[in-house]
Amino acid sequence: MFDVAVFGSLFLTLFVIMDPPGITPIFLGLTAGRPAKVQQRMAFQAVCVAFGVISVFGLVGHQILDYLHVSVPALMIAGGLLLLLIALDLLTGKTDEPKQTKDVNVALVPLGMPLLAGPGAIVSVILAVQDADSVGTQVSVWSAIVAMHVVLWLVMRYSLLIIRVIKDGGVVLVTRLAGMMLSAIAVQQIINGVTQVINGA
């Protein structure tokens, strides 16, 4: 039977971790200068990538980490370092990414992963799937995962309307702001990973 409590709990957890409102300026910064249709496609691609990654880890996450001998703190630190590199590019205005792969790369990294499907979301889903001990609970867990990704897509899809208001100068400002926010997220993620390593030692 469908468990509303499990659905609500996981949905709220993912909402806080994946942060749809917070992803808006980062999405606008990373997709600045592209046609609206390309940006809409990138929003869809990013959500699909995030859902794919989350689903894979939800199904076989423990096996993957055990096989690679990778701990959760190590995953958090690696994700934080990757985010920090992207943040530095946003802050400095560096745009030397190859043109023919630019759209795909941004949708995959960092939007799809690790921004949306980051270590926190991955770990939360792994634990939720592991604790789901009935068919109804499993349905509740996966329904929450799907609902969260629908919300993410809607937020990014309609955040494009903001561009019409803030114009090019505003996009540059948003890009720099996104870089600062992303660098803070990255550093905090690294700190959390290091803290877990220290506490586990």
Side-chain angles (χ1 to χ4, degrees):
M1 193 173 176
F2 189 84
D3 193 325
V4 177
V6 170
F7 173 89
S9 176
L10 181 58
F11 182 84
L12 288 176
T13 299
L14 291 177
F15 190 91
V16 171
I17 293 173
M18 302 177 90
D19 191 16
I23 202 67
T24 300
I26 297 174
F27 173 74
L28 291 175
L30 290 172
T31 61
R34 295 173 174 82
K37 288 185 177 180
V38 173
Q39 291 175 314
Q40 292 169 7
R41 185 173 70 247
M42 290 173 66
F44 182 73
Q45 288 176 335
V47 171
C48 288
V49 169
F51 180 74
V53 172
I54 291 290
S55 297
V56 169
F57 275 94
L59 294 171
V60 292
H62 273 296
Q63 292 86 337
I64 292 175
L65 294 181
D66 290 343
Y67 178 77
L68 297 175
H69 303 289
V70 174
S71 65
V72 172
L75 189 65
M76 296 179 70
I77 294 171
L81 291 173
L82 179 59
L83 286 180
L84 188 58
L85 291 175
I86 301 298
L88 292 176
D89 283 349
L90 287 175
L91 285 170
T92 59
K94 183 179 178 183
T95 57
D96 58 355
E97 192 176 2
K99 186 176 182 181
Q100 63 270 25
T101 60
K102 190 174 183 181
D103 295 346
V104 176
N105 284 346
V106 173
L108 296 176
V109 177
L111 281 176
M113 182 179 181
L115 275 178
L116 298 181
I122 289 173
V123 171
S124 297
V125 168
I126 289 175
L127 295 177
V129 172
Q130 182 181 3
D131 293 339
D133 54 2
S134 67
V135 175
T137 311
Q138 285 282 355
V139 171
S140 303
V141 167
W142 288 102
S143 297
I145 294 171
V146 171
M148 185 68 253
H149 284 82
V150 170
V151 170
L152 285 168
W153 176 75
L154 289 173
V155 168
M156 289 193 292
R157 169 68 172 76
Y158 291 103
S159 68
L160 301 177
L161 297 175
I162 299 174
I163 296 178
R164 298 178 185 176
V165 178
I166 63 178
K167 307 296 182 184
D168 290 341
V171 170
V172 173
L173 178 62
V174 167
T175 301
R176 300 297 182 266
L177 176 62
M180 286 196 350
M181 291 173 57
L182 194 55
S183 62
I185 293 172
V187 171
Q188 185 61 56
Q189 192 163 292
I190 294 171
I191 291 172
N192 292 343
V194 172
T195 301
Q196 289 190 26
V197 170
I198 294 174
N199 291 338

